[in-house]
Structure formats: structure tokens, C-alpha cells
């Protein structure tokens, strides 16, 4: 039995509130249950120097956790003067996932930065970030198309992400904090709507796992992403 | 005429949503018009080493601005590896303002940290932070009283803060971003409900000012704080 | 009674020794009693990149405290690898105060940096810094006028600063270290010779204060600045 | 055709030279073709403070790349003052992989640090690091057993790691630099000798991939790890 | 001919003003011509953790250069967030030089820190620092002896330091800035009054040098130190 | 008697393995007994901005110590976020020593960086680094001459370096770790084949020394460098 009473293949409610803030070219507040992440997409018409002159754009991400997003207060990375290895790993993953569905040549020489800031954490903050970031990116690119700055849509696919893991011996979908901190293995899958995989990561925590388990986790992730794609659609048509 | 069409002594709507997040001992989302700050109060039952053994507690604050809270994206302080002078100045002011109304001996050997994170910025983020932080602190201390960890209330007074300034020659209350970036002088007042002053800061930007102007700004601030005290009451009785 | 035996409205002796070092375009050693600050003004004919092309110059300040300027040795900020929040707050205040009396357009595309290094500290280091920095700036600009690099004087006014505070219930002028560490409230005023205010900051330390007290502190500051203006004149005519 | 002329399922020669340095409790120089990593295992009989008192030990890793290990010189992380996100991601992966096969309770309250320093880089430095680190760890633990500091072996399994990827549409084993920089997808698998998986990571670079491809990459990794296990055995029996 | 018109073996005037600041246990302003360094000695009765429990004390030094001590303004190390290699090299040399004449066991478990801050630079700042630091140390230790905290003098010898170099082919004593920046070789010698050497450093800048030159430089240094010892005596008997 | 049983004027075996890595323009693994340093020379055809436009090149060095090069593991400088004073002092010395024999005008507007990374430490790492760096530089410059990028050889002389010291009262050559940590004085000499000196540094550790000792140390260094020059020749003719 899962601590939350959910079925093994049951997602937490996925909520996506678009246009949560005013200034960003795209913004959403995404929730996977009690996990809530504010994502903004910022368009800059200039690339940083090391990316200029290749005739293509760039999509990147930054990730942060408010100090009291968690059960006990963590220290503020700005005050400590550096981002943790975990933070850097997550923001690299988010950026990669969005670039996997973006045609950078079509985007043109501009940069879009996805800022993913965790307001409240209850497991799955990186996958919620990716899933929300795609909507924020979509909103920002819609603006560019509407303003005529782009004529061809550079976003090739929808992308969503979800965690799953082996908890007390059973594969389960969308780990919350209680499960995450006690899982034998946990995995994150970044999937496209056409079934393709952008990123698969499965890590043994308490126990190593076999190939069959890897496949069952992937199947759960497919079910989760179907729900997330639906929530993304709903948010965009709102 | 003010860009927003407000009267010189007119505040923007003050909104305070208590219990905005789940984990913190106190939390609010405070809005001064489009300025929105998430404030959480975190209680730690242990003091940092340098504060121990004096038979009293500590109240402190940290301040941050999400990168895209502003009209154009700013860089993330955690990524740059240090907090700006402005950030440090603001968080010192917030902490001082709350300590001015807290009896640290009555608080006992525990620390309460107020994290003020600006979700959206449109002027007045430091004064909104102080005004919201007082409510978050109140909620956290209410919890300590309810749990019996405290028997006497260490909060002696209500505190609120508001900015005002001289815009196109006229003293006006509660500057928004447009006014703030063009003001001749801007001021921040931190006031108690009994009329006392915890902090007064008035800075010439475009033009120096005279004693009469300082007094008029203080009078505007008193009017603004009356409204903020009302919003604080309403949030706490919700 | 004040620890030093001074009357409530009595400044410590103000001493200003011009041309204390050789290389700087302007330099003074200023003393407010035992507080001694070395201030140098350095002219650079090039602006930093982010200030170029606006047809105006910049005046800025940096502040430091020698490790053993104080009663017990403090750690060296260069060794710790960062400037404290206090240091940054002070150097921002010094720069702002001098820009309040300088016409940056008339200054032209050059930068003047005021380095304020505290040799010995006994309260009031920031106000001594501002008062001395004005003289160093004046000396540096005199040089530009003499060399013909400037033909119109960009300095519009004299500026001086002094601290005052409420000590054992009474407003007193020019706090020394003993008073400063036990004051109920302390204030810093940056005043122009024509009576205008460039900056007013009054902070409750042990007790909040009322409007009447704020005004009495301001009146003390006016008396103090009158003496400082006299000392500045004397140093410049030396 | 692969640039090196290798067959799709062909590893580069795996060489492991044990006892490469004198001071470390375990050390190897491991080569995957031209990629060469020096790995040392250092035993400390004291845990860092935050790990003490749990009745168990810790295995951790650090990773570095000599500035001219690569085709063109990269900057030295010690000189830049921080480790890159990539470095941190890799050292977290190495540590996790070794902890997956170590019984930390049996290890006792001591820490073993695996330092993986890349002398020469030609793709696959993180998987060579893991594969070599296991041998260095084995040598260090053998010492503890021999000295009687341990009586039961805390290492439960062999572990090895290898990269593979989709290059010009075809799954291939053990990417070298030329392949790595042009792969459509690249993957790293950390496998146990019993077939279990400690870590699976597969990332779309130029193109997303399907489930079938993921499984083919895993099968290639199994073939590669078989060879690495053999080389590990040989090094240990030398 | 030397730019200053001095003879090859002629020192600049050496001036040592003791008790230049009030708070430090020992302090001097030392001048070698236009080079002026403020040195303070601070006694702490507690050692830092890593030095405790060995039954002996420690003497250490820190060095800094005010930004406008030099002909053109340098950046402030505290603002840059790190000390240069040059600064660290110099402060290591100063500490070593004083420890060479101090019996750390006799000093007891306390630390004396010599802060050497260059007010004005014209060549020879490190040797002026060492020469002044000895006087500040002497003053601080005199205080410990007077207060009865020490009964046996831990300072075994006088120490002084001077630079010399090969300028336009000729060995000269006590290089000023003009000579220093054009010397073929420059050297620093730290000498005891009994003729022994604590440190000898001779570096080729424009041209390598032979053994004979090294010996001539050492002889010049002996002459210079004789004058410095005299100035030290005079300062202490003042 | 020396711990190693060596005669006072006996070097440890000097081994130089050229072309130890593939990518660098020059590379060697140099050994002074158990001390082993990997040195690579990297040519960059562009100078850093602050060196451009003077019609000459630059030779510089960086130095690092692998964490477990030493008897007990030291912390990794990249992880600590800064290079120690010792590291910076050494890399400045290495760069200076090589520039002493290089005609920077003849080198042309390019930079050669010598990376000296200590694989195993047993005393004398800085002198081994210099001696090895010269060979790596020689190899790199040979390549430039061969490719026709240079027509005149910018290397004017051979350079080598060795440590010596006073151990239990006797001058000895080439200190190993046991001697180094117990020496009364230690010295490093950087010598040219023609007998000239590029750098002489002799430091009192346990006891100050006299002029006669300095000369005896220099004579030992000459003997040691003769052997090193021979090993350099052998490596280059291999």
C-alpha cells in the first residue's frame, strides 16, 4: 500500500495554471499534488557571446528551490554562494529535455530561458518542472508567432516527464516525498507524445533492479505522461 | 497625475493570502497591487552557534527575487554566486524591523527565519515583504502559543511598512515601478500601530528634499500603514 | 551623561588633513575624534562598459575597515572572500550621497571612485567617510578644472554627514562607539549646506521612537554638519 | 562504419594497471583505448561530522579532468574556483554506483573516497572511472580485511560501467570522442555481474529514440561489461 | 645613475612612527621613502582550532594594499572576492620571517597577527612590512611581559628586511618603484642582527645573474638592514 | 645519515618519460625518485586580451596536486573553490623560471601554458615541475619550428631546478619528504646550463643560516642540476 493510498499506476492530480505572472513571455504554476513549481519563459533577442553566429537559437533552464519549499528549511543557495550538484544536474536535465523537441535553427538567434522555482516540494519537482516548462515555452513561442517574429513553429513535439520507482518491491507511478525517500529505485522519464524517449534515468537506491523492472517503470511513465499531456492541452486551451 | 491614475494618497490594493504553502510554520502571499511576495516563517528550535547561551532567541530574514519577477529577466543570484548589495540591504532591514517588535527574551532560545521571495515585482517589494513577514511571524508564533511551547506572547506590536516618494514634485504614497524609477526622492517607513517609527529612510534620487517634504512623506506613510494593518487583521481573522 | 562627558549637542573634534597620500587625485585623512578614515579620490578617464555612451560620468565609492581598526581584530574581507552586507550598504550610501551633489553630465564620461578606508574606528565611520569623501572629490575636481579638462564645475553643493541617536532616552549628536553600541535608536543624516537633505536614516535599535524624536535628531544633525562644513572649508583653504 | 573501424559491439582495449601510485590504499590506471583515468581509493578512519553516529560508513567519489587531457586545453577548475555541473554530475554518479554494491553497515564508521582523475580523454571517462574505481575500492577493502580491521567483506558485487549510443542510426558500444560528439543519443549503464542494473541513463542528443533502441543499447552494454569484468579480475589476480 | 639620484648603496630615509593607532597591542607606521605601511599586532589569547593543544603559540601575518596606494587605482581584493597570488606570497613571507625569530613555545598558546596594510606604495612594500612588523610584534610582546602574562621574552632576535636588485647592470640597494619595474633582477633579504639569514630570494626579471652578483646583493642588504635596525631601536626607545 | 641512506650530494634517480600523453603539444612524466609530475605544454595561437598587441608571446604555468598524491589525502582545490597560497606561489615560480630562458618576442603572439600536475609527491614537486616543464616546452617549440610557425628558436637556454637544505646540521641535495619536513632550512635553485641563476630562494625553517651555508647549498644545487640537464638531454634524444 502506498502512503497516500493511491493505486500503483495512479498519478497525483496534475494542475497547470497558465499566465501565473505578468512580466514573463510565458508562465505557469504547475502542481503534481502538493508539489508546486512556478515556471517562467523569458525570451532574450540576443544570445550570449559564446552562442552567437551559428544561425541558431538556444533554450536553457535554471532551477531553484525556495528555502522553505521543503519540510524543514534548507539553506538559500544565493546565500551559500553556490548551486548544489543536485540543482545543476536538474537544470541541465530540464534544458536538454526542451531542446530535444525544439528546432534551434527555426528558433533563430534568440534565447529562451525557463526558470523553474519550486514553491512547495513533495517529490517529483524535476519532472513537474519539465512538464510545466514545456507549457511556458509553448506560450512564449505562441507570442513570437503571433507577433510575426517567427513564421514557422520551432516546437516539434510535446514533451512531459514523470517519476516512478520501486517502492516496497512494487513499481509505482509519480513518487511523492514519502515514497521517494524510501524507494529501492527511482526513475525519471522524459517522453514525447509520439511515444519516443528524450531521457531515461533509473537509479538503484536501496536495491539494484532487473531489466523487467526497467520496462515496467517505463510503462507506468507512459501512463503518467498521457495524463500530463492532457493537462497541458487543457491549460493551453484555457 | 500618477501613471496609474491613483490619487497621491492612494495605496494599491493590499491583499494577504495566509497559509499559501503547507510546510512553513507561517506563510502568506502578500500583494501590493502587482507586487507579490511569498513570505514563509520557519521556526528552528536551535540557534546558530554564535547566538547560543544568551537566554534569548533571534528573528532574521532572507530576501530573494525570482529572476523573472521583473520586466526583463535578471540573473539568478545563486548562479552568480553572491547576493547583491541591494539584496543584503533589504534582508537586513526586514530582520531589524521584525526584531523591533519582538521580545527576544520571551521568544526563548529559538530562531525564526522569514524568507521573502518576490514572485512578481512592481515597486515596493521591501515594504510588502516587511508587512507580509509580520503576518507570517504572527502565524508562526500563534502556533508556538497553541502548542504550549510559549506561554507569553513575544510579539509586542504590529508592524507594517510602505514606500512613498516625491514624483514630479509631489509627495505620493506607495510608489509603483514606473514612479519609483522616476522619483526625485523615495522613502521607506516602517511603522508601528501605536504611531511609533521603527525605521525611516528617505533618499534623494533626482533632487534633494527639505524637512517639510520629509514630514509630508511620513504622513502619507501613516495613511498607507493604516490600510496595511487592516489587511493584516483581516488575513489573521480569516 | 555621555560616557565621553560631551554635551548632547557636542561634536567630537573634526580634523581633516588634505593631501595625505601622493598618488591619488584627491586625498584626505578625516577624524571625528578617534575615528579616522583615509579617503582617496581616483579619476579614471574611461567608464566601465555598462556606463558608457550616455554622455555622462559616474561617482562611486568603496569602503573598507582595516582588520584592527576596531577594539578587537575583525577578519579581513579580502581573506574571507566577500564584503559583508554592512560594508556594501555603507559604500552604496557614500556613492549616493556624493552623486546627490554632482552634475554627472557636467562631469563628462569619466569615473571618480572614492575609497574610504577606516584606519581607526570609534563610531561614525560612515558619516566621517561621506564628509571626507566630499573634500577628496572637491580636490580631484579642482585638479580637472585647473588642467582644463573641465571648464564648468560639476559639484553643485557641499555635502556632509553626521550620526546622532537616542542614548539613555536623550537625543545626542555624533555617537561614539560606546554610545552607538547602547543606543535606543541611531540615525545618519546626509545634509547639504543649503539645509536640504540628501539622505535620512533613523533606525530603532533598543526602542522605537516617535516623530518628535526624529525631528530633534535632525536638528542635532544640522548643528553637527555646520561644524563639518567649517572643517571642510578650512582643509580646502589650507 | 565507425570512425575507428570497430564493429558495433566492439569495445576498445580495456587495460587496468593496479598499484599505479604508492600512497593510496588502492590505486589503478584504467584505460578504455586512449581514455586513461587514474583512480585512487583513500580510507579515512573518521567520518565527516554529518555522517557520524549512524553505525555505518560511506563511499564517495570526486572527479577531475587535467586541463590538457582533452584535444584543446580546458580551464582548470581549481583556478576558476568552481566545479562544473558536468563534474558534479559525474562524481555523484560514481559514488552512487559504488554504494550500490557496498554494505555500508559492514564497512563500519569509516569513509572511502575514490578520486578519479582523467589523464587523457577520448570519450567514456565516467564509465572508465566507475570501472576502475571498483578495482581501487576492492584493493583498499582487501587491505582492511588483511589487516583484520574488517572480518566480513562489505563489497557484495562487482560493478562495471560502459557507454553506448546511437551513431548514424546504429546502436554502438563504447563511444569514443568522435562518436560521442556526433551521436543521436548516448547512454551510460552501470551493471552488476549478476545482470542487475545499478544505473541506466539514456539521453537524446540529436534525436529522440524508442523503447526498442533502449533495449538494444542495454544489450550492448551487457556485452561490454562482460569484458570489463574480465579485465578487473585479471588486474586483481596480477 | 639611479632615477632618484641615490648612491648604489644608499637607502631611502627609514621612518618608524610607533603607536600609530590606539586599539592594537602594537602598531607602527613605517616608511621607506614614499612607501608607507601601517602595521598592527593583534594578540588573541585563543588559537584557531587547528593549532591548539601543542603547547605553543603562533605568529602570522596578513597583507593588503589600499586600492589607491599605487600610481593608478587597483581593484579592491575584498570586492574581487579573492586575494591575489602576490598578496598570499607576501603574507606567507612576512609570517615566516617573524616566526624565524620567535620561540613559539615561550609565546604560549596565543596567536599574534601582524596586519600590514600599504597606505602608499613606491617599491619595497614587503620588506617595509617585515621591518615594521618586527617593531609592532616587539611592542605587543613588551605589553605581555609588562602585564606579567609572559615572564621570559619569546623574541630571540631582531629581524629586518630590504630589497635590492640589479638595475642597468649595477647592484643597488632598496629599489623604488621606478627601479623595481625596470630591474634585471630583484632580491629580498630578511636578515638578523647577528648576520644570519632568515630568507633570501633573488629572481631574474630581465636577465639571469651569476653567483658573484648574488653575493654583492647580499652585501648591500646587510648595509641596508643595519640602518633599519637603528631605526627600529630609535622607534622603540621613543 | 639521511633517512634514504643517500650521500649528502646524491640526487634521487631522475627519470623523464617524454610524450606521456597524446593531445598536448609537449608532455612528459618526470620523476625525482618517488615524486612524479605530469607536465603538459599547450600552445594557444591567441593571447588572452590583456597580453595582446605587444608583439610578443607569453609562457605561463599552472600547478596542481592530485588529492591522494600525498601520504594522507588532501582536499581537492577545485572542490574547495580556491587554490592555496602555496599552489599560487609555486605556479608563479614555474612560469617565471621558464620565461627567464625564453625570448617572448621571438615566440610571437601565442601563449604556451605548462600544466604541472603532481601524480605522486615525495618532496621537490616544484623543482621537478620546472625541470620537466622545460622539456615539455622544448617539445612544443620543436613542433612549432618543424611546422614552420617559428623559424628562430625562442628558447635561449636550458633550465633546471632542484631543492636542497640543511638537514640535521648538514647541507644535503634533493630533499625527500622525510627530510623536507624536518629540515632547518630549505632552498630551491633554478639554474641555467651556463651557471647563471634564474631564481634562488632559501628559507629558514627551524634555524636561520649563514652566508657560508647559502653558498654550500648553491654548490650542491649545481651538482644536482648537472644530472638533471643530462636527463633532459636523454629524454629529448629518445
Amino acid at each position: 500500500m502506498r502512503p497516500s493510498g493511491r493505486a500503483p499506476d495512479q498519478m497525483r492530480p496534475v494542475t497547470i495554471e497558465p499566465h501565473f505572472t505578468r512580466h514573463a513571455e510565458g508562465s505557469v504554476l504547475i502542481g503534481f499534488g502538493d508539489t508546486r513549481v512556478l515556471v517562467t519563459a523569458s525570451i532574450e533577442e540576443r544570445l550570449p557571446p559564446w552562442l552567437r553566429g551559428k544561425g541558431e537559437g538556444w533554450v536553457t533552464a535554471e532551477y531553484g528551490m525556495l528555502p522553505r519549499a521543503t519540510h524543514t528549511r534548507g539553506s538559500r543557495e544565493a546565500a551559500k554562494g553556490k548551486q548544489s550538484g543536485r540543482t545543476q544536474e536538474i537544470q541541465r536535465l530540464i534544458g536538454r529535455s526542451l531542446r530535444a523537441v525544439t528546432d534551434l535553427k527555426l528558433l533563430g538567434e534568440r534565447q529562451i530561458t525557463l526558470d523553474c522555482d519550486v514553491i512547495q516540494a513533495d517529490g517529483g519537482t524535476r519532472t513537474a518542472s519539465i512538464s510545466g516548462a514545456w507549457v511556458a515555452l509553448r506560450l512564449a513561442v505562441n507570442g513570437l508567432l503571433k507577433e510575426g517574429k517567427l513564421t514557422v513553429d520551432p516546437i516539434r513535439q510535446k514533451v512531459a516527464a514523470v517519476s516512478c520507482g520501486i517502492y516496497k518491491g512494487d513499481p509505482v507511478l509519480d513518487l511523492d516525498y514519502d515514497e521517494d525517500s524510501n524507494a529501492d529505485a527511482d526513475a525519471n522519464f522524459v517522453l514525447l507524445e509520439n511515444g519516443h524517449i528524450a531521457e531515461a534515468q533509473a537509479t538503484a537506491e536501496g536495491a539494484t533492479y532487473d531489466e523487467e523492472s526497467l520496462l515496467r517503470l517505463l510503462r507506468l511513465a507512459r501512463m503518467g505522461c498521457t495524463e500530463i499531456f492532457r493537462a497541458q492541452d487543457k491549460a493551453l486551451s484555457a
Side-chain angles (χ1 to χ4, degrees), chain A:
Chain A
M1 269 294 288
R2 307 178 70 171
S4 60
R6 279 187 283 151
D9 60 357
Q10 192 182 344
M11 283 289 289
R12 293 173 288 177
V14 177
T15 56
I16 303 179
E17 186 175 341
H19 312 299
F20 189 74
T21 64
R22 297 176 68 99
H23 302 313
E25 283 74 29
S27 91
V28 304
L29 182 70
I30 187 166
F32 281 14
D34 275 346
T35 289
R36 287 158 72 192
V37 185
L38 171 56
V39 188
T40 57
S42 297
I43 301 173
E44 284 159 300
E45 290 293 328
R46 271 164 58 94
L47 287 171
W50 59 93
L51 291 171
R52 284 179 204 155
K54 302 187 189 160
E56 54 180 61
W58 191 243
V59 174
T60 187
E62 294 194 1
Y63 170 94
M65 175 95 86
L66 296 194
R68 195 54 196 280
T70 43
H71 287 76
T72 57
R73 187 176 184 274
S75 56
R76 186 177 288 266
E77 290 189 331
K80 282 198 299 184
K82 67 175 188 176
Q83 294 179 297
S84 71
R86 179 186 172 276
T87 291
Q88 292 189 64
E89 197 170 312
I90 292 175
Q91 62 194 14
R92 284 156 56 91
L93 171 64
I94 301 169
R96 225 157 50 215
S97 298
L98 293 169
R99 287 192 298 275
V101 295
T102 307
D103 185 317
L104 297 175
K105 285 218 185 321
L106 286 181
L107 181 58
E109 289 223 351
R110 53 174 62 86
Q111 174 166 283
I112 303 185
T113 303
L114 284 309
D115 283 290
C116 303
D117 285 277
V118 180
I119 300 292
Q120 191 169 274
D122 188 31
T125 63
R126 80 187 69 189
T127 50
S129 294
I130 293 167
S131 303
W134 184 82
V135 181
L137 176 67
R138 181 70 273 174
L139 290 169
V141 169
N142 287 353
L144 289 172
L145 289 162
K146 206 164 164 184
E147 297 165 38
K149 290 187 179 162
L150 286 178
T151 48
V152 184
D153 186 357
I155 303 183
R156 291 184 293 224
Q157 284 277 338
K158 284 180 201 164
V159 74
V162 75
S163 77
C164 34
I166 300 177
Y167 177 73
K168 307 212 166 173
D170 291 318
V172 296
L173 175 62
D174 184 27
L175 304 177
D176 59 28
Y177 176 79
D178 281 343
E179 293 168 331
D180 194 24
S181 32
N182 293 291
D184 290 330
D186 72 65
N188 294 291
F189 291 96
V190 182
L191 302 177
L192 274 55
E193 210 178 16
N194 69 1
H196 269 216
I197 305 170
E199 184 102 17
Q201 295 185 337
T203 300
E205 297 287 347
T208 52
Y209 57 91
D210 61 15
E211 187 168 332
E212 173 58 25
S213 299
L214 179 62
L215 290 176
R216 288 177 64 188
L217 292 174
L218 175 52
R219 249 155 259 155
L220 284 172
R222 292 198 187 284
M223 298 171 62
C225 285
T226 302
E227 283 190 51
I228 300 166
F229 288 127
R230 206 149 40 211
Q232 290 176 335
D233 286 344
K234 198 172 136 200
L236 286 166
S237 63

